[in-house]
Amino acid sequence: MWRNLLASGVLLVAGAAWGKPFPLCMYGVDNPADLAVIKKAGFSCFQTYRQEPEQLAALAKQAQKVGLKAVFYPNKLFDTPYESQARRWPMLAWYLVDEPDVWRWPRSRVEQAYNRAKFSFPAHAAALVIGQGKTAIPYYDLPDVLMMDWYPVPHLPLTSFGEQVALAKQGQTALGAAKRPLWGVVQIFDWKEFKQHRPDNDRIGRFPTQAEIRFMSYHGILSGADGLFYFVFTSNGKPLPQARPEWWARVVAVSQELARLKPVLEKGHEVFSLTVNSPLMAKTWQYKGKKYTVLLNTAQEEVPAPAAVLSARYKPLYSTQKAARLAPYAVWVLKH
């Protein structure tokens, strides 16, 4: 089966080339001076929790200069002199609300926030982020863009991130919003730095390894994510590159790799997808006469590499090392 499917792309996926952006964004960037660092790391956009109009204007000006798109809260811009100015900012999307499922916002309140943002900024997308793939209140069809954050390290299975992305995509599909973008938010923080819901519990946490960040990123893509965000740029309130350069290096290794693959994700034609209940997941895109395959091992143990992959003339990309077996949570990126 693998020889037929992977080598020839027999299993075709409906639809033409993507032809749409695949954003790579960083959460929690507050200082305009840090945008050049974000850009150098391969990111195409950023988010901030700051809402002061003056601060947003400064960030937008620098974003325009370095070539980044922005994700801002619109609330404090309404009915101010900045409102008309903001229509010309380099916006990726307006950020409506953070995790309405956690705060138990009814659909009507989310819809009101969406309508207010679109009234002022009709040319810009409006996004909201949910805290899990399946929510009690179905928000999936309300925004132009749905985001989903899920942070499993170290207390949940690493594969739960992609599983939650898939659930969010299913929610969009069920409500007729399958063609709207879904952006996954990948963990790049240590849970110990955040307030625990149970202060009497032991504090559990650590920063994800580079391999974990890489696996979650690709698992999100193969599970349906149309873009990726990374939470968060700070560690204990300080920019990650200064606070923990060794952690930042893990992030940059992944973000720069994905930035190199970005043209394939944006303009490649998807010709093969294997997402059955198996330890292996795969997806193949055709781009400029070449095929690019991402192969994942979703198991906690080694699994044999498909014979078709081993025998074919694939060129391993990035940190891929072809071998007889895929290591636990391995990610292979192959060009053929």
Side-chain angles (χ1 to χ4, degrees), residues 14-222:
W18 288 54
K20 60 182 179 181
F22 189 96
L24 293 170
C25 301
M26 177 58 66
Y27 253 89
V29 184
D30 298 336
N31 189 342
D34 289 325
L35 296 187
V37 177
I38 297 299
K39 178 73 173 182
K40 184 178 179 182
F43 292 97
S44 60
C45 42
F46 71 99
Q47 183 269 5
T48 184
Y49 286 105
R50 300 293 294 269
Q51 297 194 44
E52 303 88 341
E54 299 84 357
Q55 180 73 13
L56 297 184
L59 283 165
K61 181 179 179 180
Q62 183 64 13
Q64 187 77 57
K65 182 178 179 180
V66 302
L68 291 175
K69 297 289 187 180
V71 178
F72 295 157
Y73 280 103
N75 304 334
K76 292 187 179 181
L77 298 171
F78 298 143
D79 302 319
T80 72
Y82 287 94
E83 185 172 349
S84 60
Q85 180 188 135
R87 296 189 183 105
R88 300 186 297 274
W89 289 352
M91 299 302 301
L92 179 68
W94 294 102
Y95 198 72
L96 299 178
V97 57
D98 199 288
E99 298 183 343
D101 49 325
V102 174
W103 301 106
R104 300 181 181 179
W105 277 32
R107 272 180 61 94
S108 58
R109 187 176 178 186
V110 174
E111 191 170 16
Q112 288 173 0
Y114 173 82
N115 290 338
R116 183 65 183 89
K118 296 299 283 189
F119 177 79
S120 291
F121 309 110
H124 296 160
L128 68 84
V129 61
I130 54 177
Q132 56 187 335
K134 185 175 178 59
T135 60
I137 298 173
Y139 305 102
Y140 307 103
D141 61 331
L142 293 178
D144 300 316
V145 181
L146 183 69
M147 302 171 62
M148 196 290 302
D149 60 32
W150 185 261
Y151 309 130
V153 178
H155 50 287
L156 294 170
L158 199 61
T159 50
S160 62
F161 175 70
E163 291 165 359
Q164 294 297 318
V165 169
L167 285 173
K169 180 59 74 176
Q170 291 170 17
Q172 285 182 305
T173 301
L175 293 182
K179 293 185 178 180
R180 299 182 193 176
L182 170 64
W183 299 336
V185 186
V186 179
Q187 177 183 352
I188 54 164
F189 69 88
D190 181 346
W191 272 111
K192 288 183 179 179
E193 295 185 8
F194 291 84
K195 182 179 179 180
Q196 304 287 304
H197 290 290
R198 286 281 305 275
D200 55 319
N201 283 356
D202 292 335
R203 297 183 68 81
I204 300 173
R206 61 174 175 79
F207 196 86
T209 66
Q210 179 179 323
E212 288 171 331
I213 297 169
R214 187 170 184 257
F215 177 85
M216 287 188 288
S217 299
Y218 280 103
H219 194 212
I221 293 170
L222 266 60

Side-chain angles (χ1 to χ4, degrees), residues 2 6 215 279-282 294-307 309-310 320-334:
W2 278 91
L6 278 177
F215 177 85
L280 296 178
M281 293 179 67
V294 174
L295 179 64
L296 297 184
N297 176 16
T298 63
Q300 297 184 50
E301 58 275 340
E302 290 185 344
V303 298
V309 173
L310 295 177
T320 300
Q321 296 290 331
K322 288 179 66 173
R325 303 178 69 83
L326 279 81
Y329 303 125
V331 179
W332 286 9
V333 183
L334 307 169

